[in-house]
Amino acid sequence: MAKKTNNTRKTPARSRGQTPRKKAPARKKKAAKSRRWFSWAFVAKVSLVLLVIGAAGLAYLDAMVRQRFDAHAWQLPARVYARPVELYEGRVLSRDDMLKLLDLMRYRKDSRASTPGSFSAQGNSLLIHTRGFRDSDGGEQPKRIRLSLSGGQIRSLQAGGEGLARLEPLQIGSIHPQHAEDRVLVPLEEVPPLLVEMLVATEDQSFYDHHGISLRGLARAMLANLKAGRLVQGGSTLTQQLVKNFWLSSDRTLSRKLLEMPMALLLELHYSKQQILEAYLNEVYLGQDGARAIHGMGLGAQFLFGRPLQELEPHQLATLVALLKGPSWYDPRRRPERAMERRNTVLRVAVEQGALSQADYDKYSARPLEVVPRGASALYAFPAFIDLVRRQLARDYPPEVLSDEGLNIHSTLDVLAQLAAEGALKEHLDNRDPQQDKKLNGAVVVVAPAQGDVLALVSNRNSREAGFNRALDAQRPMGSLAKPAVILAAVQQPKQWSLATLVEDGPIQVAMPNGDLWDPQNFDKQSRGAMPMVDVLAQSRNQATARLGLDVGLDKVAGTMETLGVTRNVPRYPSILLGSLALTPFEVAMMYQPLATGGFSTRLRSITDVLDKDGEPLARYPVSADEVIGAGPAFLTQWAMQQVVETGTARSARAYLPEDLKVAGKTGTSDDFRDAWFAGFSANHLAVVWVGRDDNGNAGITGSSGALPVWARLMGKLPQRSLSQNPPAGVEWVWMNPNGTQVSAEGCGEARRYPMLEASIPRDADGCGTVKQTGKGIKGWFKGLFD
């Protein structure tokens, strides 16, 4: 029997029930201990890294918070102000115009005029509590004045023993930063305490107790968010809101919140509650005005109510606080019901917190919102003038300086002159061209000729509308406004011409280089024969003017225009004598200014000085005058232009002006009645008016019917001084025979009295009466007979 082979494998000890060796568990314990040591070391290292990163992050946040807050790097727009309004006995000013001015300046009615910015009116008597202001002349303190108006004048003025009172310069515009933020900085000490109390009561009742974060507020917000299932509350303190506005976005995200909280703690660590409040009040966003973002309570007060923050009443302050919940959602202009409800909630919370009494709540919650209509602020009132200011500033300042550094620009705008110009243009055009047609439009420029100050600028019958600036950019043929330059060019050659010289008013033809004939016609299609040069101007005779200008010489006439201030190229064509040259109303004012000043040219300016944001002077725009034409020829031309108003084409203006007021001017009408002009002046006001159609069509009007009524209404509403009737040295009053070549005497037939340069006085006399002595004396006159 074969021997059985044993192929059975050895069974391991564990399967045989044997006890395993002790060595293996010891190794495992050692490995586990090693892993535990490694885990704690890793955690410690990671924690250390995170701590370093966190510390670096906090250091970065701390530096960012301090740098931004210390710099207060708000970009502030340049603000443009009109000149202070001067009130004095005898000033031409109607009661209606005074009330219109007070409304524009947002003075509020108060039976006692108890606080600055208020007034009361009883019949023709007004009690006004003026606002104080600072300017380069020192400014004024607030005070109460009383004035009586009747007959279109200030009859009496009581101003604390002074004969002059000034209302504060009206802010008429601003030049915004490039990012379109705008604000008016208000120090905390000038903020109404009630506004601060309302703000804290409504937005952060624990503001004075927390250190940047309110745990109670966070818990309340968390509960509200859980109930809503979404983020509906932030639990932010005022400090956190400031952090969000200063450094972060307004997105409701967890990452923003995680940044916001440590930054709020850091802000509170370095700065006082008062500093934080002041920054918040000046930074907070309150709405949008087109491309301009409204920031800060100071600008918010002006934007919504047209008044300084310090003058707002409790219900108006509550409206500002109400907007913090959502400037668009509670916009009082677009959503007045929501705004009213939220405003009254702010008032109610103020009562609960002891900032207002129940009686105050009952009184102010019943008040309307009282916001000014959009665009009704003085900031939008004079767009054409602000356009001029921008253009003149651009010559001297780069855009970033104008839009960022908070400059205060004092302009030359006279608000009363501006309102008078706007009213005169609109009244005339609405009467002549009814609103439903609106085919006619116009422009007005008013200047103080001696200083070159632009007092008013209108470029649209609807003067509040911005857009094409007709006063500065509408180049239109000037028509007969060119004729004074022809007269001036002639009298500057006294051996040949005087105002008494006869000029033939009859048909004239001039062959042009292209073979055409230039044959100007008179307006009435009639020729009057020989007539004195002064009548050629007064009656605006085209044929006589053309003949005179050609005799004087096109070069001399064109050169005279350029000397007067025309900067465009003046072509040497005969048609320039009758006004084919196209100028803007502003350029016409530049040309006429030396005629109004007796020969002195002064650069027209819209700015008097520029101050920095602290009120310190940066630049002045002084008056500088250059004599460009002699006093004698200037006086003769000015006197000839007076005859246009006294007996000529502008005599209808006398109905609007004081009887003894001496003014001068000239009507102008372009071909096919497309453009109507009038330019004229007194001793202290020069005004240019253009009326026509934007499509250059036939306007159906002349200078006398279309532009002169505007000028006359305007000038009648401004305080005027007569042009001097005293001739300068070298000019004498002389009685002349109708033939214009012989000296005569008063009372001799049709003899007329003229101002004449000594070199123009004829040697011959007509033998009638007694020749009056001239400045040369009788001896000199007889001596001249034998020279």
Side-chain angles (χ1 to χ4, degrees):
M1 191 171 169
K3 196 172 182 177
K4 193 181 281 186
T5 304
N6 187 5
N7 293 328
T8 306
R9 293 178 181 176
K10 290 184 178 181
T11 305
R14 183 177 296 174
S15 61
R16 297 198 304 268
Q18 297 178 5
T19 303
R21 295 179 181 180
K22 300 293 184 181
K23 203 169 186 178
R27 285 198 302 270
K28 285 188 175 183
K29 185 174 182 181
K30 184 176 181 181
K33 184 176 181 182
S34 176
R35 284 196 299 274
R36 284 197 302 273
W37 177 87
F38 177 78
S39 297
W40 284 111
F42 178 76
V43 169
K45 290 178 180 179
V46 170
S47 298
L48 181 61
V49 170
L50 291 176
L51 185 62
V52 171
I53 292 174
L58 281 176
Y60 172 77
L61 290 178
D62 185 67
M64 184 171 69
V65 166
R66 297 178 68 178
Q67 186 277 331
R68 173 74 169 89
F69 198 88
D70 287 340
H72 279 299
W74 284 308
Q75 292 179 297
L76 302 175
R79 304 197 179 279
V80 184
Y81 296 89
R83 60 174 57 188
V85 177
E86 294 186 345
L87 304 173
Y88 50 87
E89 288 186 13
R91 170 158 194 167
V92 177
L93 182 63
S94 69
R95 181 180 184 275
D96 287 346
D97 287 343
M98 187 69 219
L99 292 176
K100 187 186 299 184
L101 174 66
L102 292 174
D103 179 63
L104 182 65
M105 301 180 79
R106 298 300 168 195
Y107 274 66
R108 63 193 180 281
K109 290 185 177 180
D110 176 355
S111 59
R112 294 180 297 174
S114 53
T115 57
S118 62
F119 78 100
S120 67
Q122 297 178 345
N124 290 328
S125 179
L126 273 70
L127 179 63
I128 304 172
H129 199 146
T130 67
R131 299 180 177 116
F133 65 91
R134 290 177 54 198
D135 64 7
S136 55
D137 295 327
E140 299 271 350
Q141 293 296 319
K143 61 183 175 182
R144 298 171 78 190
I145 64 173
R146 184 180 294 277
L147 39 108
S148 175
L149 302 107
S150 63
Q153 289 187 358
I154 298 177
R155 296 298 180 182
S156 65
L157 173 68
Q158 300 173 23
E162 299 179 10
L164 174 70
R166 295 197 299 165
L167 302 184
E168 75 278 5
L170 181 66
Q171 186 183 343
I172 56 173
S174 58
I175 300 175
H176 308 133
Q178 295 172 354
H179 54 65
E181 278 191 16
D182 195 3
R183 58 174 50 80
V184 174
L185 295 182
V186 183
L188 185 61
E189 59 268 21
E190 296 180 12
V191 174
L194 180 59
L195 175 62
V196 176
E197 294 176 22
M198 285 181 173
L199 173 66
V200 171
T202 306
E203 294 293 319
D204 187 0
Q205 293 181 7
S206 62
F207 173 72
Y208 293 106
D209 300 321
H210 64 63
H211 298 286
I213 299 173
S214 172
L215 297 179
R216 181 180 298 177
L218 287 172
R220 184 174 60 249
M222 187 179 297
L223 182 61
N225 295 334
L226 288 173
K227 287 181 178 179
R230 57 190 176 88
L231 196 63
V232 295
Q233 284 190 24
S236 295
T237 63
L238 286 178
T239 311
Q240 287 175 273
Q241 292 180 40
L242 178 60
V243 166
K244 178 188 68 176
N245 293 334
F246 250 29
W247 294 279
L248 307 176
S249 71
S250 58
D251 299 333
R252 291 186 172 184
T253 61
L254 180 61
S255 60
R256 195 210 77 197
K257 275 290 180 186
L258 292 176
L259 275 176
E260 184 182 285
M261 289 189 286
M263 292 176 75
L265 290 169
L266 291 168
L267 192 61
E268 293 262 0
L269 178 66
H270 294 297
Y271 303 101
S272 68
K273 295 289 186 180
Q274 287 71 27
Q275 289 174 299
I276 293 170
L277 267 177
E278 181 175 279
Y280 181 92
L281 291 166
N282 284 292
E283 174 61 25
V284 66
Y285 173 70
L286 293 175
Q288 201 71 25
D289 180 27
R292 182 174 68 135
I294 306 300
H295 284 262
M297 296 295 184
L299 183 60
Q302 293 184 6
F303 175 60
L304 291 177
F305 305 107
R307 295 192 177 97
L309 182 63
Q310 298 83 350
E311 293 183 13
L312 298 191
E313 297 181 78
H315 63 296
Q316 296 167 326
L317 296 174
T319 301
L320 291 177
V321 175
L323 286 175
L324 300 177
K325 191 75 173 176
S328 178
W329 186 256
Y330 294 105
D331 186 332
R333 294 190 180 102
R334 293 188 296 129
R335 299 182 172 94
E337 296 82 6
R338 291 178 189 170
M340 179 79 79
E341 181 181 0
R342 180 62 185 168
R343 181 202 73 177
N344 289 346
T345 297
V346 174
L347 289 171
R348 186 164 50 253
V349 172
V351 173
E352 293 170 359
Q353 296 299 311
L356 284 177
S357 67
Q358 184 61 43
D360 288 333
Y361 174 81
D362 295 338
K363 174 182 177 181
Y364 292 112
S365 62
R367 294 277 291 272
L369 290 171
E370 298 178 0
V371 295
V372 299
R374 186 178 294 276
S377 166
L379 290 175
Y380 309 95
F382 314 120
F385 186 87
I386 293 299
D387 184 23
L388 174 63
V389 170
R390 286 176 179 271
R391 297 187 196 196
Q392 295 196 345
L393 282 173
R395 299 193 304 239
D396 303 319
Y397 295 93
E400 61 272 13
V401 172
L402 291 175
S403 61
D404 295 348
E405 297 190 7
L407 303 182
N408 293 306
I409 298 160
H410 293 165
S411 79
T412 59
L413 183 80
D414 182 323
V415 178
L416 288 173
Q418 178 73 28
L419 295 177
E422 294 173 356
L425 179 65
K426 189 174 189 305
E427 179 184 354
H428 176 66
L429 293 187
D430 287 351
N431 289 336
R432 189 168 189 95
D433 177 40
Q435 287 281 6
Q436 60 266 26
D437 294 336
K438 286 191 174 180
K439 293 179 180 178
L440 292 179
N441 217 313
V444 183
V445 180
V446 184
V447 173
Q451 297 81 25
D453 291 349
V454 181
L455 304 179
L457 198 76
V458 185
S459 73
N460 195 323
R461 67 189 292 172
N462 298 316
S463 56
R464 302 294 180 262
E465 291 183 6
F468 180 61
N469 196 327
R470 295 168 184 82
L472 302 182
D473 298 323
Q475 301 174 36
R476 308 298 287 254
M478 64 191 299
S480 294
L481 296 192
K483 291 176 180 175
V486 178
I487 299 299
L488 176 59
V491 298
Q492 285 180 314
Q493 302 178 57
K495 294 289 187 182
Q496 295 175 264
W497 287 282
S498 75
L499 295 179
T501 301
L502 298 183
V503 181
E504 183 65 28
D505 182 47
I508 181 173
Q509 292 184 337
V510 179
M512 303 299 293
N514 62 1
D516 291 342
L517 286 178
W518 183 66
D519 56 342
Q521 300 295 311
N522 287 319
F523 176 77
D524 59 4
K525 307 300 181 183
Q526 303 293 319
S527 298
R528 297 188 182 178
M531 58 196 309
M533 189 196 299
V534 66
D535 291 346
V536 171
L537 183 69
Q539 304 302 325
S540 200
R541 306 305 291 174
N542 289 341
Q543 292 175 336
T545 303
R547 180 170 279 104
L548 175 63
L550 290 172
D551 288 345
V552 170
L554 287 178
D555 280 338
K556 285 187 170 59
V557 174
T560 298
M561 290 181 176
E562 292 164 352
T563 297
L564 287 172
V566 174
T567 57
R568 297 183 185 275
N569 176 55
V570 183
R572 271 52 174 176
Y573 299 138
S575 59
I576 67 167
L577 303 171
L578 304 182
S580 63
L581 181 66
L583 297 179
T584 68
F586 192 80
E587 289 172 326
V588 171
M590 292 171 57
M591 174 180 165
Y592 268 58
Q593 187 262 341
L595 297 174
T597 59
F600 289 88
S601 176
T602 299
R603 188 177 186 180
L604 301 189
R605 62 176 187 169
S606 62
I607 307 160
T608 58
D609 50 32
V610 177
L611 310 180
D612 66 15
K613 61 184 176 62
D614 299 318
E616 296 299 320
L618 285 181
R620 290 186 179 273
Y621 291 74
V623 176
S624 60
D626 298 314
E627 188 173 18
V628 294
I629 53 178
F635 182 84
L636 267 57
T637 307
Q638 191 181 97
W639 183 83
M641 295 173 70
Q642 291 179 48
Q643 309 319 301
V644 175
V645 180
E646 295 299 327
T647 62
T649 56
R651 58 188 178 277
S652 62
R654 296 271 20 143
Y656 296 89
L657 303 173
E659 184 177 349
D660 59 347
L661 179 66
K662 298 297 183 182
V663 296
K666 185 68 190 78
T667 52
T669 309
S670 67
D671 290 344
D672 298 324
F673 306 100
R674 291 189 176 95
D675 304 283
W677 292 91
F678 191 83
F681 46 86
S682 65
N684 58 326
H685 288 107
L686 160 64
V688 177
V689 177
W690 168 83
V691 173
R693 291 174 53 159
D694 289 332
D695 62 6
N696 202 32
N698 187 322
I701 53 177
T702 65
S704 296
S705 64
L708 177 62
V710 178
W711 182 89
R713 284 185 172 93
L714 161 63
M715 296 291 277
K717 289 188 173 183
L718 300 178
Q720 304 290 358
R721 297 199 312 270
S722 283
L723 293 169
S724 173
Q725 302 302 295
N726 298 320
V731 175
E732 300 291 340
W733 289 106
V734 180
W735 286 90
M736 293 291 293
N737 188 282
N739 63 24
T741 60
Q742 292 177 307
V743 175
S744 187
E746 184 175 3
C748 289
E750 297 181 5
R752 290 175 62 178
R753 185 171 177 255
Y754 299 89
M756 299 183 71
L757 293 172
E758 291 178 353
S760 296
I761 300 174
R763 299 176 179 179
D764 295 334
D766 64 3
C768 177
T770 302
V771 176
K772 186 178 179 180
Q773 290 188 6
T774 69
K776 296 187 295 185
I778 292 292
K779 181 178 178 181
W781 184 79
F782 275 108
K783 182 177 182 295
L785 295 178
F786 303 98
D787 284 345

